[in-house]
Amino acid sequence: MARRMMSRLGQWSSYVFAVDFDMNSDPIYFALASKHSERPQVFRNVLADEICYSLHVQSDDKIERAKFYGGLKNKLSKELPPECTILEMSTFQPNVKDSVIKGYFLKDASKSSATERVLGELLRNDPVYVCSYLCEGEDRQWSQHLWSNTEDGWGEVLEKYCVVPAEKPEHHPSTLNIINYDVFYSFEDAYKVLQQCVDIIPESKAVLELVDQRLKSKEKTDFPVIVIEGLDATGKTTLTESLTEALGATLLKSPPQCLSPWRARFDTEPPLIRRAFYALGNYLTAGQIGQEARQTPVIVDRYWHSTAAYAIATAVGGKLGNLPQAGSEVYGWPGDLLRPSLVLMLSLSSQERMRRLQVRGQDKTMEEEELEANHLFRQKVEEAYQRIEGPACVTVDASPSPDQVLQQVLLLIREKCHL
Ligand SMILES: Nc1ncnc2c1ncn2[C@@H]1O[C@H](COP(=O)(O)OP(=O)(O)OP(=O)(O)O)[C@@H](O)[C@H]1O
Ligand SMILES: Nc1ccn([C@H]2C[C@H](O)[C@@H](COP(=O)(O)O)O2)c(=O)n1
């Protein structure tokens, strides 16, 4: 394994490291050098006397990397002493797409040998790089030691570097690996992910079989296709049902009903696999839309905007400002996915949305719970919705009564789709 680490290490010093000490501020960026810099110390104000470590998943296999990273935090939380703080960390080449290696930074105030024992186990058995960080000398500068593994765990220090401050990059590191990790822009790219999962997730086979039998959709439909989007409890179900009746339309959903038996299973998977599942759901729904829109208008409850907006908002760490700029390719529509005639996004104040959630009082998915707990995440989902193009969504105020929302939407549909 040491040799495999070294091949990657040749470039290690061209990487920048980002540690999220506080999700509401910028990460701390540092690089590696042979000499300490004149600039102020990297970890001032965030580290005192702790011993620190970092862990990065090392595997050339994307699925293995995603699965292992997903499970690693749980394992660390369970096995490390409680005084050990686990922070998210990325290693990346500034502004270079697909260059991110995800990891964790450990701030260990435990003063016990338990942390080293857990990390030694990981080094021996798992595909990880482990580094330790030391603060030394009169000027209290930090250095990084990269460890090799042996049968017993900890081996020897392979490389020692000085930790020096690095510039904040133009693009937040969490935006560099969105394409084909969190959002898929073609049927083939999403399909490939599930194909590679067949051995580890047997349910993938059944999903792929369904997808193989999907109906192919034409680019243009005879009747209009109207998608209703929005956060949970904004009134999509209520509106799509009344619209369907008012327009004599057909109601469809993404993911479609036929994927329900597997949805909960894929919801437990890391983003790469989970998002590929939802992406394929859109292609199944697209086939149904193509079929139904030969005879009637079609109303769709969630479609591509949901898939992309939730995925982008989850992938992008920290502040709203870390989202890729409007106009970025990540907000583009997949070239091979049927485009609806109109996309409407229901928008509601968070107070009213919470009130409706409480009135409804059903079980919530983990992502719904996160939406409730995390105001920032909700803002990022809504902002991503608004930045998606091809077609862009039209925002509808969903706070009036159900009938008023329906009338407002019927007017918009008449205006935009000439129905
Ligand atoms: N315009 C409205 N005014 C007041 N209450 C509403 C309105 N529209 C829907 N509701 C109520 O709000 C709750 C959530 O509505 P609904 O289930 O339609 O939302 P949803 O967007 O489909 O949610 P989810 O995505 O979580 O399934 C329900 O109890 C519903 O009766
Ligand atoms: N087309 C879709 C529909 C849903 N999702 C994901 C996004 C959220 O995690 C969750 C919300 O769905 P709900 O609980 O309201 O049924 O499902 C998606 O990615 N793509």
Side-chain angles (χ1 to χ4, degrees):
M1 197 195 280
R3 212 176 309 121
R4 191 136 65 94
M5 283 167 98
M6 290 298 284
S7 68
R8 202 99 207 207
L9 254 182
Q11 309 148 17
W12 200 237
S13 49
S14 67
Y15 278 76
V16 167
F17 298 71
V19 184
D20 283 311
F21 281 93
D22 170 4
M23 291 305 273
N24 293 312
S25 351
D26 284 335
I28 289 191
Y29 294 105
F30 66 89
L32 304 175
S34 51
K35 270 202 335 234
H36 280 117
S37 85
E38 305 291 307
R39 293 171 55 202
Q41 215 225 77
V42 172
F43 296 126
R44 72 184 195 290
N45 307 332
V46 288
L47 290 181
D49 244 359
E50 296 93 345
I51 301 174
C52 298
Y53 303 92
S54 63
L55 284 154
H56 285 90
V57 183
Q58 60 134 340
S59 164
D60 293 332
D61 183 307
K62 213 166 147 175
I63 308 279
E64 183 188 28
R65 250 185 354 246
K67 286 288 269 181
F68 185 72
Y69 180 76
L72 184 57
K73 186 149 186 197
N74 275 347
K75 190 177 163 83
L76 292 172
S77 315
K78 258 194 241 144
E79 295 181 11
L80 288 173
E83 300 86 354
C84 197
T85 313
I86 307 167
L87 302 161
E88 291 197 1
M89 176 174 194
S90 309
T91 301
F92 63 101
Q93 290 178 298
N95 309 324
V96 176
K97 275 189 236 158
D98 201 11
S99 68
V100 180
I101 308 169
K102 283 192 177 182
Y104 296 107
F105 188 87
L106 310 179
K107 199 169 121 178
D108 184 18
S110 72
K111 311 257 184 297
S112 86
S113 57
T115 306
E116 291 211 350
R117 210 174 42 245
V118 173
L119 297 182
E121 278 280 297
L122 279 166
L123 256 174
R124 187 168 67 224
N125 300 319
D126 292 303
V128 285
Y129 299 114
V130 174
C131 298
S132 60
Y133 295 80
L134 277 183
C135 179
E136 297 167 307
E138 263 173 38
D139 47 0
R140 311 297 292 153
Q141 295 274 17
W142 287 87
S143 35
Q144 185 205 63
H145 293 176
L146 175 87
W147 291 84
S148 73
N149 62 327
T150 65
E151 290 287 290
D152 302 326
W154 296 91
E156 62 194 62
V157 174
L158 283 174
E159 304 273 345
K160 181 179 167 184
Y161 288 105
C162 299
V163 171
V164 295
E167 298 297 330
K168 176 180 170 183
E170 184 189 347
H171 300 285
H172 189 270
S174 60
T175 63
L176 298 177
N177 281 23
I178 288 179
I179 297 175
N180 285 339
Y181 286 83
D182 298 289
V183 188
F184 299 89
Y185 297 86
S186 74
F187 173 80
E188 207 187 325
D189 288 331
Y191 190 88
K192 257 192 269 168
V193 171
L194 257 67
Q195 255 183 335
Q196 287 162 6
C197 290
V198 166
D199 291 338
I200 49 167
I201 309 171
E203 291 85 349
S204 308
K205 200 157 172 256
V207 173
L208 291 173
E209 275 166 14
L210 263 180
V211 168
D212 287 336
Q213 294 156 22
R214 79 192 187 284
L215 302 163
K216 302 274 164 39
S217 48
K218 288 189 300 181
E219 232 171 76
K220 253 208 118 19
T221 55
D222 299 328
F223 281 86
V225 177
I226 298 131
V227 174
I228 306 297
E229 292 282 8
L231 298 177
D232 50 294
T234 47
K236 295 182 298 300
T237 308
T238 309
L239 176 66
T240 50
E241 284 172 358
S242 58
L243 259 183
T244 302
E245 203 183 315
L247 296 174
T250 304
L251 177 57
L252 296 172
K253 287 178 195 291
S254 177
Q257 196 60 34
C258 59
L259 284 185
S260 304
W262 299 288
R263 188 172 176 185
R265 172 70 185 83
F266 281 89
D267 275 343
T268 63
E269 291 298 329
L272 172 71
I273 300 167
R274 178 168 187 227
R275 303 302 179 188
F277 169 83
Y278 280 100
L280 291 177
N282 288 327
Y283 288 93
L284 279 169
T285 299
Q288 299 174 342
I289 296 174
Q291 192 78 357
E292 297 299 333
R294 290 181 185 163
Q295 282 121 39
T296 64
V298 175
I299 307 296
V300 192
D301 186 341
R302 291 199 191 270
Y303 191 47
W304 162 257
H305 273 72
S306 281
T307 310
Y310 278 78
I312 294 168
T314 314
V316 175
K319 301 178 294 184
L320 191 62
N322 295 341
L323 282 175
Q325 299 281 312
S328 152
E329 60 187 330
V330 307
Y331 301 117
W333 193 272
D336 57 356
L337 182 67
L338 183 139
R339 290 170 200 259
S341 327
L342 181 63
V343 181
L344 301 174
M345 188 195 67
L346 303 184
S347 170
L348 213 51
S349 69
S350 46
Q351 292 89 330
E352 173 60 9
R353 212 177 58 81
M354 292 296 283
R355 192 195 64 77
R356 291 189 192 177
L357 271 172
Q358 274 158 7
V359 170
R360 191 175 61 177
Q362 276 168 354
D363 283 354
K364 299 180 200 101
T365 63
M366 257 164 57
E367 208 148 54
E368 282 175 345
E369 277 175 20
E370 185 162 4
L371 275 176
E372 245 173 85
N374 190 339
H375 178 61
L376 198 55
F377 178 54
R378 210 163 49 234
Q379 280 183 314
K380 284 192 278 191
V381 177
E382 281 211 317
E383 189 56 41
Y385 262 133
Q386 278 159 355
R387 292 186 186 179
I388 292 168
E389 292 173 347
C393 62
V394 177
T395 304
V396 171
D397 175 11
S399 56
S401 71
D403 190 54
Q404 283 171 311
V405 176
L406 172 66
Q407 296 312 322
Q408 188 187 329
V409 166
L410 282 171
L411 272 180
L412 265 171
I413 294 175
R414 284 191 187 116
E415 182 196 327
K416 309 255 182 205
C417 304
H418 313 291
L419 251 186

